[in-house]
Amino acid sequence: MPSTSQHSNFNNPTQFVEGWYWALPSSKLKVGRVKAVTLLGRNLAIYRGVSGQVVAVDAYCSHMGAHLAEGKVEGDGIRCFFHNWKYDDRGICVDVPSQGKPLPVCIKTWQTAEKYGMIWVWVGEEKPSSLPFVPELEQVDCDYLLGTRFVKNCHPNVLLINAIDAHHFNTVHNLPLEIVFDSQDLNNAITFSNTTRGGDDSWLIRLIRPLYRNEVTYSMCYWYGSTGTVTLGPDFLHFYIIFALRMIEGGKTEGQTILVTPKRPGCIGWGVNRGLLWLTQQVGNYFAKGDTQVFQTIQFDLKTPTKADRSILQFIQHVNHQKVLTWGTWQAFDSPEESDSPLETLCDRHSSTSLML
């Protein structure tokens, strides 16, 4: 099974899966401020209005193309620096000072949400699906800590398969246990969970065996081909790490780790969680240090898959069945440009909704 081809979504630097992608940390966008963000080849202006709502708009003013991140936030709208045209949070022009009235134009807006201390942008025309989440914590209030931000010299799809590369746990990390994954397709996500006990000839496995009632807990959940959540640890204490990735120029990866733990009550709970988040970061760093250099030089091409690569092939197949968009334009792959439509319909269809989760 070839890993990439002209028609493959996986590891393709010209297209990406429609979905939620991280834009910037929530703490970096104060009320009344605007930031220039380039996301998957498209330039955006992302601002926080006085209501606290985050709005993402195409970067360039419809008058002369000035970058709106040079402008200023007014209420829940934004005013261009160059000629002071103002757009509301739906992208509709509401003021042109030189005309004394607005003109019937609008700029494109994109749906936003906030979770785990990050601002996410829904990239696509379809109704947004679920934000990425840790399956065990879907209905749980969580504390979080933003960890390492990094750039890797490979595609996000390739970087993510490292966590389900069963054989490399033995060859690189010297884990005395054969990992066998069971996968479950969840439409926009796919999960891989370890199913094996084994390792009884290892003193390390015998030592930690009392901490696990069944198999050693290790599972991954992949969202939109570019965000992965890791769950691992003994039965009484699971560690949760989110790897939020996005493709950058040249098919490379920019990533942000997010460390997560269930919220615990009171001041003592707050202090315990600070320690647990720190410990979670150390666990993530331990695994990352073992093979991070590989993803600066790898030229991924799975020409000779083996039995141990079964989960990787399943992930490739999952990505190849997702709806994809074209780098930079965000148009559906191989679809014609959208025809013009009336202003009201256009702005309604592309209006931005900010969700605080």
Side-chain angles (χ1 to χ4, degrees):
M1 176 180 176
S3 60
T4 57
S5 71
Q6 183 179 359
H7 305 292
S8 172
N9 300 340
F10 185 87
N11 194 27
N12 191 325
T14 67
Q15 58 198 50
F16 56 90
V17 175
E18 179 182 70
W20 287 104
Y21 289 85
W22 71 280
L24 71 161
S26 294
S27 62
K28 299 295 184 181
L29 191 66
K30 305 299 183 183
V31 171
R33 303 303 297 271
V34 58
K35 296 283 187 180
V37 175
T38 300
L39 183 63
L40 298 165
R42 193 177 188 112
N43 293 322
L44 305 175
I46 300 180
Y47 67 92
R48 191 185 297 278
V50 295
S51 68
Q53 174 185 3
V54 174
V55 182
V57 301
D58 275 354
Y60 303 108
C61 180
S62 56
H63 181 211
M64 286 190 182
H67 201 300
L68 291 171
E70 300 289 342
K72 61 180 179 179
V73 177
E74 290 187 1
D76 282 330
I78 190 166
R79 190 178 291 276
C80 179
F81 167 79
F82 203 17
H83 296 99
N84 289 167
W85 289 30
K86 183 180 178 180
Y87 302 89
D88 68 11
D89 58 359
R90 294 185 297 160
I92 298 173
C93 178
V94 294
D95 185 31
V96 177
S98 64
Q99 297 286 116
K101 62 179 181 180
L103 293 177
V105 295
C106 74
I107 51 176
K108 183 103 172 236
T109 61
W110 303 92
Q111 299 216 31
T112 66
E114 297 190 72
K115 190 172 186 177
Y116 301 129
M118 298 294 291
I119 294 170
W120 305 77
V121 175
W122 173 259
V123 178
E125 302 294 347
E126 301 296 328
K127 181 180 179 180
S129 299
S130 299
L131 275 163
F133 60 82
V134 180
E136 285 189 7
L137 304 179
E138 181 178 4
Q139 304 297 331
V140 178
D141 289 336
C142 295
D143 282 337
Y144 55 82
L145 176 67
L146 298 185
T148 306
R149 189 165 172 175
F150 55 87
V151 174
K152 297 295 182 184
N153 193 34
C154 67
H155 195 281
N157 296 160
V158 174
L159 187 57
L160 284 178
I161 65 171
N162 187 52
I164 53 171
D165 183 350
H167 191 49
H168 102 283
F169 288 112
N170 308 125
T171 58
V172 175
H173 301 294
N174 300 312
L175 184 69
L177 174 70
E178 181 184 6
I179 297 290
V180 177
F181 289 109
D182 176 53
S183 67
Q184 183 177 2
D185 202 316
L186 304 177
N187 191 20
N188 293 311
I190 186 171
T191 63
F192 295 90
S193 300
N194 173 47
T195 63
T196 56
R197 286 178 60 86
D200 292 330
D201 56 345
S202 164
W203 67 266
L204 175 60
I205 298 300
R206 291 197 301 270
L207 180 65
I208 67 173
R209 179 67 67 205
L211 304 179
Y212 298 88
R213 180 178 299 177
N214 297 306
E215 65 274 358
V216 173
T217 299
Y218 178 80
S219 63
M220 290 292 307
C221 182
Y222 292 122
W223 295 88
Y224 311 110
S226 290
T227 297
T229 73
V230 183
T231 300
L232 73 163
D235 292 343
F236 66 89
L237 179 62
H238 286 176
F239 299 102
Y240 307 98
I241 307 172
I242 300 175
F243 294 95
L245 311 180
R246 62 189 182 193
M247 185 167 63
I248 56 177
E249 195 72 37
K252 299 179 182 180
T253 297
E254 184 175 15
Q256 172 72 62
T257 59
I258 308 171
L259 317 167
V260 183
T261 193
K263 191 179 290 291
R264 293 170 173 82
C267 294
I268 294 177
W270 182 91
V272 168
N273 277 7
R274 301 286 78 73
L276 288 175
L277 291 171
W278 177 85
L279 186 57
T280 303
Q281 187 167 29
Q282 307 318 304
V283 172
N285 290 343
Y286 170 77
F287 284 103
K289 289 178 181 178
D291 46 20
T292 185
Q293 73 276 9
V294 171
F295 299 100
Q296 300 299 89
T297 57
I298 191 171
Q299 295 292 313
F300 183 84
D301 192 2
L302 186 54
K303 296 178 180 178
T304 52
T306 68
K307 181 180 178 181
D309 299 322
R310 179 172 173 267
S311 56
I312 295 174
L313 296 175
Q314 290 172 326
F315 179 55
I316 292 173
Q317 184 179 41
H318 171 79
V319 172
N320 284 340
H321 281 84
Q322 301 301 300
K323 179 178 178 180
V324 293
L325 306 178
T326 304
W327 169 267
T329 67
W330 293 11
Q331 290 290 323
F333 188 62
D334 282 342
S335 71
E337 293 285 334
E338 292 182 346
S339 59
D340 292 337
S341 57
L343 172 66
E344 187 170 342
T345 301
L346 178 67
C347 291
D348 285 346
R349 177 149 49 92
H350 300 312
S351 64
S352 165
T353 303
S354 180
L355 309 173
M356 182 70 74
L357 301 176

